[in-house]
Amino acid sequence: MVMPNRWRASFGPHLLLAVLGGAGPAAAGPPPDVPAAARPPNIVFILADDLGYGHLGCYGQTRIRTPRLDRMAAEGVRFTQVYAGSTVCAPSRASLMTGLHQGHAVIRGNSPRVPLRAEDVTVAEVLRRAGYRTAAIGKWGLGEPGTSGIPTRQGFDRWFGYLNQQHAHDSFPDYLWSDEQRVAVRKGAFSHDLFTDEALQFVRGQRGRPFFLYLAYTIPHANSTARRMDSPGDAPYQGEPWPAPEKALAALVTRMDTDVGRLLDLLRALGIDRDTVVFFTSDNGPHREGGVDPAFHRASGPLRGIKRDLYEGGIRVPMIVRWPGRIAAARVSDQVWALWDFLPTAAELAGAAAPAGIDGLSMVPALLGRPQQNHEYLYWEFFEQGFQQAVRADRWKAVRTAPGRPLELFDLAADPGETVELAARHPDVAARMEELLRTARTESPDWPTRGSPAGRP
Ligand SMILES: [Ca+2]
């Protein structure tokens, strides 16, 4: 039986702040338990790893079966124009955690391994100060052991998983981190299954206070170190006439789908699914690692490029959000937003203020189907193959694949596959995009551009 919820019934988040009194970010420590009637929703954020725009049935996949995520989309809102923070893991997660795009983020690449700093304000810190109990489970990648960047020093009450991204390549690890302890893992245990068990246990253990669960799965990332796909089996695809890595990848995606379903079933069984907002998305586009060919399962859908590209296939990701009773069922939204919008979105859901100076906007209106403020632009930069930049403004997308190369301009409304280059035909738009590539960023000492942004002398 779900208790009537006055917040859901009548209160906007700003009113909620007043109800909670000192529960905003200025308050020291979590407030005492608030009455159920005024409690903001639980927030669950599930992040897949290298899951492409085309990997889920509800985004056009025809062979890999994802019935639970498809049903989640049918029960909530499915976004068609949501973007990752970056085209690889660590920087994308840094943008997710801090609300900053890559032109301002403290972490802008997988190497060097720069940790989040003590002064960086994460979404977990914002939610914990608003009274939430917070957990991170899975792959972290934003701080090595002993640094300021580890989850327990970045706002998470509970942490279980891989700190190091290289370590996360091994899905049958010898050890994992539990809070600040290294714990042995039973031989042959598949880490993803441990993460699911831990997530279900965390949710079952919550009473009274709202919770934030950040569940960062490692599926369907490859074991890039051993150059293979780690999977406990190929079911239900063992009989398919596909290359072995493609069977393994499909099996992993379906396994994750099943486990997302288990989590949603638990929320319902506990009578809290109407009090819980669940997000599902990916950290970047699909990979070509571990023997996988992203074309085989059409992993990017209709989009151009994969992981490590700033074309759409590298950065546009699935995004499904479910909140029964508040988010209308079976809605499809083309609202343009990005993972750096999650922090202010979560803050508004919690009735808390987001830190000043971030790049993200709250997408709560878009979630609820109300008029939404749009970004003037979205910005990305990437350093692994030389300095690359991309910007999206309205229907236009510009990519520069190296300093000094010509700006490539695409009209995403007419050409989402980025096949027709238009810079010469729209010099005014190209000039505006050039200006954004220059002004959207500040220089980072850890990721020098070697040559100036936008290829200028
Ligand atoms: Ca990734």
Side-chain angles (χ1 to χ4, degrees):
M1 183 74 185
V2 179
M3 294 293 289
N5 183 321
R6 281 166 56 209
W7 190 89
R8 288 208 317 260
S10 59
F11 285 178
H14 301 295
L15 269 172
L16 180 70
L17 253 186
V19 171
L20 291 177
D33 281 357
V34 291
R39 194 181 299 129
N42 308 309
I43 300 171
V44 175
F45 194 97
I46 307 170
L47 187 68
D49 194 353
D50 295 6
L51 185 81
Y53 190 78
H55 270 141
L56 304 181
C58 52
Y59 284 84
Q61 176 58 232
T62 56
R63 296 193 299 203
I64 303 172
R65 297 201 276 281
T66 56
R68 294 310 306 265
L69 286 160
D70 300 347
R71 194 205 299 180
M72 181 179 163
E75 293 170 348
V77 55
R78 181 174 71 85
F79 289 94
T80 59
Q81 301 199 69
V82 167
Y83 291 89
S86 173
T87 189
V88 295
C89 302
S92 191
R93 290 149 198 261
S95 286
L96 172 70
M97 282 293 132
T98 62
L100 297 168
H101 67 53
Q102 284 293 294
H104 297 137
V106 66
I107 298 172
R108 303 192 194 181
N110 283 341
S111 77
R113 284 197 191 122
V114 171
L116 289 178
R117 304 163 305 183
E119 64 265 36
D120 294 324
V121 177
T122 67
V123 61
E125 290 172 314
V126 170
L127 293 176
R128 184 157 72 172
R129 284 193 296 239
Y132 281 62
R133 185 162 158 75
T134 56
I137 295 168
K139 168 169 157 179
W140 181 243
L142 304 178
E144 296 290 305
T147 69
S148 55
I150 63 174
T152 46
R153 294 182 194 170
Q154 292 292 339
F156 287 101
D157 298 311
R158 172 73 182 128
W159 153 241
F160 178 67
Y162 303 100
L163 287 175
N164 176 287
Q165 300 193 121
Q166 208 80 19
H167 186 210
H169 290 174
D170 181 3
S171 297
F172 299 95
D174 296 331
Y175 73 93
L176 289 166
W177 292 92
S178 177
D179 297 332
E180 298 187 14
Q181 302 297 316
R182 216 176 119 137
V183 294
V185 170
R186 168 170 53 83
K187 193 167 171 53
F190 186 53
S191 62
H192 167 89
D193 297 343
L194 303 179
F195 299 151
T196 300
D197 290 346
E198 185 72 26
L200 297 176
Q201 189 183 326
F202 173 78
V203 170
R204 271 189 217 107
Q206 301 314 305
R207 293 287 185 275
R209 276 163 61 185
F211 64 84
F212 168 48
L213 169 61
Y214 170 50
L215 179 54
Y217 278 141
T218 55
I219 284 176
H221 199 288
N223 188 331
S224 310
T225 311
R227 298 176 185 277
R228 62 167 190 259
M229 292 300 294
D230 275 350
S231 174
D234 293 341
Y237 306 104
Q238 60 271 47
E240 297 289 351
W242 304 341
E246 309 296 355
K247 286 200 264 193
L249 182 140
L252 290 171
V253 171
T254 296
R255 188 185 197 90
M256 174 171 63
D257 179 82
T258 301
D259 290 332
V260 170
R262 288 172 63 201
L263 182 54
L264 296 176
D265 288 345
L266 176 63
L267 296 176
R268 184 167 296 158
L270 294 174
I272 57 172
D273 66 336
R274 295 169 71 89
D275 302 314
T276 306
V277 191
V278 182
F279 297 76
F280 177 90
T281 188
S282 176
D283 69 336
N284 51 253
H287 63 75
R288 187 194 302 282
E289 293 158 24
V292 163
D293 174 2
F296 187 83
H297 289 302
R298 218 165 167 252
S300 297
L303 306 177
R304 173 181 178 176
I306 60 169
K307 179 181 182 180
R308 293 190 169 79
D309 291 322
L310 292 182
Y311 297 112
E312 295 287 286
I315 52 177
R316 203 192 286 197
V317 287
M319 172 64 85
I320 304 167
V321 190
R322 176 185 180 273
W323 187 9
R326 288 306 304 269
I327 292 178
R331 196 158 57 85
V332 177
S333 171
D334 61 2
Q335 177 68 42
V336 176
W337 59 286
L339 294 193
W340 56 90
D341 296 321
F342 176 61
L343 185 156
T345 302
E348 183 173 346
L349 290 169
I358 60 172
D359 296 306
L361 297 174
S362 170
M363 288 291 148
V364 168
L367 296 182
L368 300 180
R370 295 178 185 158
Q372 169 70 51
Q373 181 190 354
N374 288 313
H375 281 282
E376 184 195 348
Y377 64 87
L378 302 178
Y379 175 80
W380 301 265
E381 60 186 48
F382 186 54
F383 294 82
E384 275 186 34
Q385 298 141 358
F387 180 53
Q388 304 184 53
Q389 292 176 285
V391 63
R392 172 161 186 184
D394 193 16
R395 65 194 293 167
W396 301 101
K397 167 88 177 287
V399 180
R400 172 166 276 127
T401 56
R405 290 218 190 125
L407 185 83
E408 299 172 34
L409 181 68
F410 303 99
D411 176 355
L412 292 179
D415 176 30
E418 296 170 298
T419 60
V420 184
E421 201 288 298
L422 296 168
R425 254 189 272 173
H426 296 277
D428 52 333
V429 178
R432 168 75 183 130
M433 301 302 251
E434 291 273 16
E435 172 75 13
L436 288 171
L437 293 186
R438 280 193 299 276
T439 56
R441 68 183 307 276
T442 52
E443 195 69 12
S444 163
D446 296 310
W447 283 276
T449 52
R450 277 193 229 102
S452 46
R456 279 156 60 92

